[in-house]
Amino acid sequence: MKKSLFVFLALLAVFSVGAQDLIIANGAEPASLDPALMTDTTSSNIGFALNEGLMVYDPRTSKGIPAMAESYSTSPDGMVVTFNIRKDALWSDGTPVKAQDFVYGWLRTLNPDTASEYAYMLTMVIKGAAAYNEGKGPASDVGVKAVDDKTLQVTLVGPAAYFPDMTAHHAFEPAPKWAIDKHGSNWTKPGNYVGTGAYILKEWKPQDYILVEKNPKYWDAKNVKLKSIKYLASDNSTTNYKMYKAGAVDWQVGITVDLIDEIMLRKDYQVSARFGTYYLSVNNTRAPFDNANVRKAFAAAIDKKTLVDKVLKGGQIPTDAFTPAMVGYTPQPGVGYDPAAAKKYLAAAGYPDGKGFPPLTYIYNTNEGHKKIAEYIQQQLKTNLGIDITLQNMEWNAFLDMRSKHDFFFARHGWIGDYLDPNTMLDLFITGSGNNDGLYSNPKFDAAIQAAVRSSGDARMKLLMDAENLLLTQDQAFIPIYHYSNQDMIDTNKWGGWYPNPLGYHPPKFIYKK
Amino acid sequence: MSQKLNSAVNEFNQEMKPVSLWADAWKRLRRNKMALVSLWVVGFYALVALAAPFLPLHDYRTQTLSHTNLRPSFKPAGQIALEAVEAQVILLQERVDAGVESLKPNLERTLLEVESLKAALVNDPASKNVYIFGTDYLGRDMLAKTIYGARISMMVGLIGTLTAVLVGVIIGAISGYIGGWLDNLLMRFVDIMYGLPYMLIVIILMALFRKEGQSSIVILFVGIALVSWLTIARVVRGQIISLKNSEFVEAARSMGAGTGRIIFRHLLPNALGVIIIFTSLSLPSFIMSESFLSFLGLGVSAPLSSWGSLVSEGANTMELYPWQLLAPAIEMTIFLFCMNFLGDGLRDALDPQSKNRT
């Protein structure tokens, strides 16, 4: 009897392990699975399994490739884009995907009541979207229209050539009106969730894991190879790495900085440049950071190169700018490391040698890597400016909440581009942007960005460069540290369809076991 | 000899000094070798922790980034760093030769580091530093860090234990001896405090009292003090209840001793064994709960550290840099062991019932 029970349990163990094709150590607990509300990479990694927009990120290049849209056409002046939605596109509950679902989804993102932090992404490009989002215009004036069930027409503010790429982002995903009307904010729970993606939400154990299973109604289901994926929620990267080494995890998102000397020698360590920036957010509306000289003093007091070379060692690029270099766009110089200049800036702000500087706390989300950087910055400020700051780590959701409510002075921040264009970086700092946590506001900067949307080619890039110059060299709205690198642990000899790419997005529909 | 009014007389009619409870206890403690050694060790820890600012240590805050993750050694740091980096060069060279292009920049950077370390051996006085406990991930001296960590941890243990003994014993004794409605009231209050999750109390305190730029360590002490006395109050109450009807209490009461005298002179010395065992056992648990709070970001924050935070940091890099875990862990273990032996010895020494044992 005992023996048969043992055999049964062993079989059960084998099956329950074999049941997930891919196990991902995804970092912290996701903040939200609602496409209109997700802002962090932890949530959006799962979002790529559950939902699909008009386009999907190409796993090699991060550019948009048609997904829910079969094809699209742009009017000769570049102002109107028409998407043709797939005839066979279905929601996970079997309802056909209609153009109206996109109109509903986008208007929902824009609706001021939804309070989507990504609404600005739509308002920057779609005609009438800004007015509706600010409560100054009706929803009917927003330039998105369902011509018929399968044709979506979008009118833009200017000839934004990058617009189709943008629609791969979660903020542009359709939303299931019937499910949201029925369940309210509970619609993202397992059982209630209706999505367009290759996977359906099966199980969600908070602070533990999220399990998704293949969606048989997905239009491209025959090309989806993995039957199920498990996303583990754990922000301890050392534990994640140990699980990875033990074979309990197939893909670790991010690495543990502590063990970089060992990790960099491994064959399955994937490292590549990433289109994003790690920076320190400062609250521009609160003293002492309402003074540009204080911000510049901080920027000049931190030796970023030593940090990257001696502590992080993971392919990051130290920077004084925000937008990484790309074709046609030269990063702006910004304020570089210079302790003598830092002291001068601080003295000009009225705190010679740090005297009289108010007590200050730097907040960051719990993670060994962020902790090291925080301690490094603390010591740099002490040595170069004579300022003592306190460090405080916080749980991911509490941290996001505090930061997005602007209830902080000095906080860790990072930004990964959503599409390959300087706009995805710079739009962050326009007045009223949902991700402008430091409340930077300069009408000249806003005007330059607005003007860039209406122009194109080199003139547009020139406008954007000038805007960044204003943002950094003049105002120093925040303190850039380094450009991210993608660092993942995954054995690409075992897993196919996973490639290093600039945005670091890996839609799971492409991943397969070799 | 006439000036000694209080002197007693023994059975041979010789004058002798009265032996107080404490002198007696001390005599017996001295006979217990383990306890005595532990007392010396704990004393040494306390001395080092108190004198830390005057000891010839490296500053625990100084980050020497060319000396990160150095192994413990009596050799100058510059040499150790050079050895470590040269070993890394060989490993990197192997991987690059095997065709891993992505490591090339790392190799180049590491080669440059070899050069700069060689130059530093001559020019930089910092390369003569000796780190007998090694260094951490930002090139800080582990010896200084563990000593300053000991300060915080011992302070947490001390504050927790002191409040536990002072508040817990008094409340427990009063509640047990007087009984009735007062006992009910006090014990229900203890029940309520028990019911509140400890974490919640600390988090609420943080939310209420925390100021921008202020370290949370004071709030942590208050939080630990608030809940530390609960268990001991109950234990003491139980002891007192079981003793309060015994003959010696009857005798004291019949001779007209007041409540305070009975509690403090007659009952508590008899409960001392339990109190001391409990105290010596709860000290480690205060140190542990502090380390858990630090991990959650509610305890000490950098550049200060405690044994708990040092161990949790060290555990992350256990395979590569074991000394970062071992240095604080061994130091902490020795301290806790000694506290236990000392507690054991004190119990034997102070317990009136063990008087006739040798």
Side-chain angles (χ1 to χ4, degrees):
Chain A
M1 185 61 207
K2 244 183 194 163
K3 208 170 199 178
S4 63
L5 188 70
F6 179 74
V7 170
F8 173 73
L9 284 175
L11 276 176
L12 198 72
V14 167
F15 275 112
S16 57
V17 169
Q20 290 97 39
D21 280 345
L22 177 68
I23 303 175
I24 305 175
N26 191 38
E29 171 76 8
S32 171
L33 291 186
D34 186 332
L37 299 178
M38 50 175 75
T39 52
D40 56 321
T41 48
T42 311
S43 308
S44 81
N45 283 345
I46 303 169
F48 288 124
L50 299 176
N51 268 304
E52 195 173 83
L54 296 165
M55 300 275 167
V56 67
Y57 291 104
D58 186 304
R60 284 189 182 84
T61 62
S62 291
K63 296 257 183 201
I65 49 174
M68 283 287 125
E70 212 160 28
S71 61
Y72 66 90
S73 55
T74 312
S75 68
D77 61 355
M79 302 287 276
V80 179
V81 184
T82 312
F83 294 92
N84 304 309
I85 294 161
R86 273 176 208 288
K87 303 279 179 291
D88 52 353
L90 295 178
W91 289 89
S92 55
D93 63 354
T95 323
V97 176
K98 292 182 185 165
Q100 287 85 347
D101 300 332
F102 281 91
V103 176
Y104 172 74
W106 295 15
L107 290 180
R108 183 168 170 270
T109 305
L110 284 170
N111 190 331
D113 296 336
T114 312
S116 165
E117 291 178 17
Y118 260 116
Y120 75 92
M121 208 164 146
L122 283 75
T123 64
M124 286 307 296
V125 283
I126 300 171
K127 204 173 159 225
Y132 173 55
N133 184 237
E134 286 158 19
K136 290 180 195 150
S140 53
D141 280 1
V142 178
V144 53
K145 208 167 72 197
V147 179
D148 57 51
D149 279 0
K150 293 289 178 186
T151 314
L152 183 74
Q153 196 185 63
V154 187
T155 313
L156 304 177
V157 198
Y162 52 89
F163 177 69
D165 283 348
M166 272 173 106
T167 60
H169 190 266
H170 298 301
F172 292 90
E173 276 163 4
K177 186 172 190 302
W178 58 98
I180 297 171
D181 286 346
K182 191 171 165 203
H183 302 290
S185 62
N186 279 334
W187 81 275
T188 55
K189 297 269 155 64
N192 302 346
Y193 205 98
V194 181
T196 51
Y199 293 86
I200 17 180
L201 183 62
K202 191 76 190 167
E203 251 184 279
W204 183 352
K205 289 219 169 112
Q207 301 295 347
D208 192 357
Y209 67 86
I210 283 179
L211 181 69
V212 300
E213 268 180 7
K214 186 175 169 177
N215 173 6
K217 300 200 171 69
Y218 179 61
W219 65 271
D220 201 13
K222 63 178 188 304
N223 288 324
V224 176
K225 296 289 189 315
L226 302 176
K227 286 200 176 59
S228 65
I229 305 172
K230 198 172 185 180
Y231 293 87
L232 304 181
S234 154
D235 50 16
N236 187 327
S237 50
T238 312
T239 312
N240 291 346
Y241 178 60
K242 279 179 188 148
M243 285 173 76
Y244 175 80
K245 277 212 290 192
V249 163
D250 300 308
W251 166 20
Q252 183 192 358
V253 180
I255 58 140
T256 163
V257 187
D258 284 316
L259 304 176
I260 182 71
D261 282 341
E262 175 191 313
I263 288 172
M264 69 162 86
L265 299 170
R266 286 179 68 105
K267 288 195 184 81
D268 46 4
Y269 168 50
Q270 313 294 338
V271 59
S272 62
R274 190 171 198 183
F275 196 73
T277 305
Y278 190 104
Y279 65 100
L280 314 179
S281 208
V282 295
N283 195 329
N284 282 256
T285 60
R286 285 190 185 179
F289 288 121
D290 54 354
N291 186 333
N293 277 324
V294 173
R295 304 194 292 259
K296 283 182 188 170
F298 273 49
I302 298 168
D303 180 0
K304 301 144 189 174
K305 192 172 181 322
T306 307
L307 174 73
V308 168
D309 283 355
K310 297 281 171 66
V311 182
L312 303 171
K313 303 183 202 171
Q316 298 89 346
I317 302 162
T319 185
D320 305 318
F322 194 55
T323 312
M326 59 188 301
V327 182
Y329 192 91
T330 326
Q332 297 306 293
V335 175
Y337 174 58
D338 184 350
K343 285 196 184 79
K344 265 183 220 148
Y345 283 128
L346 198 64
Y351 310 103
D353 296 325
K355 280 190 196 76
F357 199 80
L360 185 66
T361 301
Y362 174 76
I363 57 169
Y364 63 98
N365 52 302
T366 310
N367 171 294
E368 299 88 18
H370 298 327
K371 182 175 174 209
K372 285 190 171 62
I373 296 171
E375 290 180 9
Y376 179 79
I377 289 163
Q378 183 183 41
Q379 190 59 20
Q380 289 276 299
L381 294 176
K382 172 89 186 137
T383 316
N384 294 331
L385 294 178
I387 291 174
D388 282 304
I389 63 167
T390 312
L391 306 181
Q392 156 110 59
N393 60 319
M394 299 176 78
E395 190 268 331
W396 183 228
N397 282 313
F399 174 71
L400 284 182
D401 190 51
M402 192 162 174
R403 208 174 61 183
S404 60
K405 282 183 181 145
H406 319 295
D407 186 17
F408 71 98
F409 289 80
F410 192 26
R412 179 201 87 80
H413 213 313
W415 188 252
I416 308 290
D418 295 308
Y419 48 95
L420 288 173
D421 191 272
N423 266 101
T424 187
M425 306 299 287
L426 296 173
D427 287 2
L428 201 64
F429 293 99
I430 54 171
T431 310
S433 144
N435 287 312
N436 186 353
D437 293 342
L439 292 172
Y440 171 72
S441 177
N442 184 340
K444 277 193 205 149
F445 174 81
D446 294 351
I449 297 287
Q450 304 289 357
V453 179
R454 287 181 183 79
S455 60
S456 60
D458 289 345
R460 178 173 155 265
M461 288 300 189
K462 176 82 178 54
L463 279 165
L464 291 173
M465 283 188 262
D466 289 347
E468 184 168 359
N469 205 30
L470 201 64
L471 180 71
L472 285 161
T473 319
Q474 188 194 314
D475 292 337
Q476 194 71 56
F478 55 93
I479 294 130
I481 301 290
Y482 61 78
H483 293 310
Y484 274 104
S485 60
N486 289 301
Q487 297 186 83
D488 296 88
M489 301 301 301
I490 183 169
D491 187 353
T492 45
N493 293 324
K494 191 176 164 201
W495 299 98
W498 194 103
Y499 310 95
N501 63 52
L503 297 181
Y505 292 144
H506 307 277
K509 69 175 265 197
F510 298 110
I511 300 175
Y512 60 92
K513 204 171 191 167
K514 279 183 181 168
Chain B
M1 294 289 164
S2 58
Q3 71 267 32
K4 280 196 176 171
L5 291 171
N6 289 334
S7 58
V9 169
N10 71 2
E11 56 264 51
F12 305 110
N13 208 22
Q14 291 164 320
E15 267 186 71
M16 63 169 214
K17 261 168 122 187
V19 182
S20 74
L21 176 69
W22 301 106
D24 193 35
W26 173 235
K27 214 169 89 189
R28 263 179 291 151
L29 185 69
R30 269 190 312 190
R31 263 185 263 143
N32 184 339
K33 280 219 179 74
M34 276 312 256
L36 206 62
V37 171
S38 300
L39 185 66
W40 280 108
V41 173
V42 171
F44 175 71
Y45 268 73
L47 191 74
V48 170
L50 279 175
F54 310 107
L55 295 176
L57 292 169
H58 300 293
D59 188 343
Y60 68 101
R61 287 163 301 195
T62 306
Q63 302 175 355
T64 316
L65 286 160
S66 51
H67 294 170
T68 52
N69 297 318
L70 294 187
R71 66 182 166 80
S73 168
F74 288 102
K75 284 195 243 166
Q79 223 173 313
I80 303 288
L82 192 60
E83 281 168 23
V85 173
E86 278 170 346
Q88 183 77 2
V89 166
I90 294 169
L91 287 173
L92 282 167
Q93 189 73 56
E94 264 173 28
R95 299 287 295 128
V96 170
D97 290 345
V100 187
E101 289 295 310
S102 63
L103 281 177
K104 263 197 178 151
N106 285 2
L107 180 64
E108 279 159 23
R109 205 177 51 218
T110 321
L111 283 170
L112 279 178
E113 211 177 321
V114 171
E115 292 311 310
S116 75
L117 278 172
K118 277 183 181 159
L121 270 181
V122 188
N123 312 325
D124 190 358
S127 68
K128 301 232 164 32
N129 287 352
V130 174
Y131 305 110
I132 55 169
F133 278 21
T135 60
D136 75 347
Y137 50 84
L138 288 172
R140 289 172 294 197
D141 182 19
M142 282 307 290
L143 178 66
K145 279 189 86 176
T146 47
I147 288 178
Y148 277 84
R151 276 163 79 99
I152 301 281
S153 285
M154 287 164 76
M155 191 127 84
V156 167
L158 212 63
I159 289 185
T161 313
L162 276 180
T163 39
V165 170
L166 287 177
V167 181
V169 166
I170 292 174
I171 294 211
I174 291 175
S175 167
Y177 186 73
I178 295 178
W181 65 270
L182 187 67
D183 180 31
N184 239 327
L185 188 78
L186 288 172
M187 285 302 117
R188 293 305 78 76
F189 178 67
V190 169
D191 286 344
I192 291 170
M193 291 295 286
Y194 256 122
L196 293 175
Y198 171 47
M199 290 295 145
L200 196 70
I201 296 181
V202 176
I203 291 169
I204 290 171
L205 283 175
M206 297 284 275
L208 286 178
F209 298 113
R210 178 148 193 170
K211 286 200 200 92
E212 180 71 16
Q214 195 189 59
S215 168
S216 46
I217 188 115
V218 181
I219 300 166
L220 175 81
F221 287 153
V222 174
I224 284 182
L226 263 183
V227 290
S228 63
W229 56 273
L230 302 174
T231 313
I232 199 161
R234 277 190 173 176
V235 171
V236 168
R237 172 181 170 269
Q239 278 285 312
I240 300 286
I241 287 178
S242 76
L243 289 170
K244 75 174 175 186
N245 293 323
S246 43
E247 291 84 350
F248 68 94
V249 178
E250 278 305 304
R253 206 180 286 138
S254 61
M255 281 189 259
T259 308
R261 191 178 167 83
I262 291 176
I263 290 178
F264 290 105
R265 300 292 293 191
H266 298 281
L267 285 173
L268 280 184
N270 281 289
L272 217 52
V274 178
I275 295 171
I276 285 172
I277 297 170
F278 183 81
T279 313
S280 62
L281 288 180
S282 61
L283 195 121
S285 77
F286 293 132
I287 293 179
M288 297 290 176
S289 68
E290 180 278 326
S291 73
F292 182 58
L293 285 170
S294 291
F295 180 75
L296 289 182
L298 299 170
V300 293
S301 55
L304 283 177
S305 50
S306 64
W307 281 334
S309 67
L310 287 172
V311 167
S312 75
E313 273 169 18
N316 288 333
T317 49
M318 173 163 82
E319 289 113 335
L320 282 187
Y321 319 114
W323 59 90
Q324 291 175 3
L325 172 66
L326 290 177
I330 292 175
E331 196 181 315
M332 180 171 163
T333 314
I334 291 177
F335 180 75
L336 297 182
F337 258 127
C338 289
M339 279 313 290
N340 267 329
F341 286 129
L342 187 62
D344 253 10
L346 282 175
R347 183 205 53 200
D348 288 343
L350 283 165
D351 187 0
Q353 262 103 49
S354 72
K355 198 169 252 177
N356 298 324
R357 286 189 280 140
T358 35

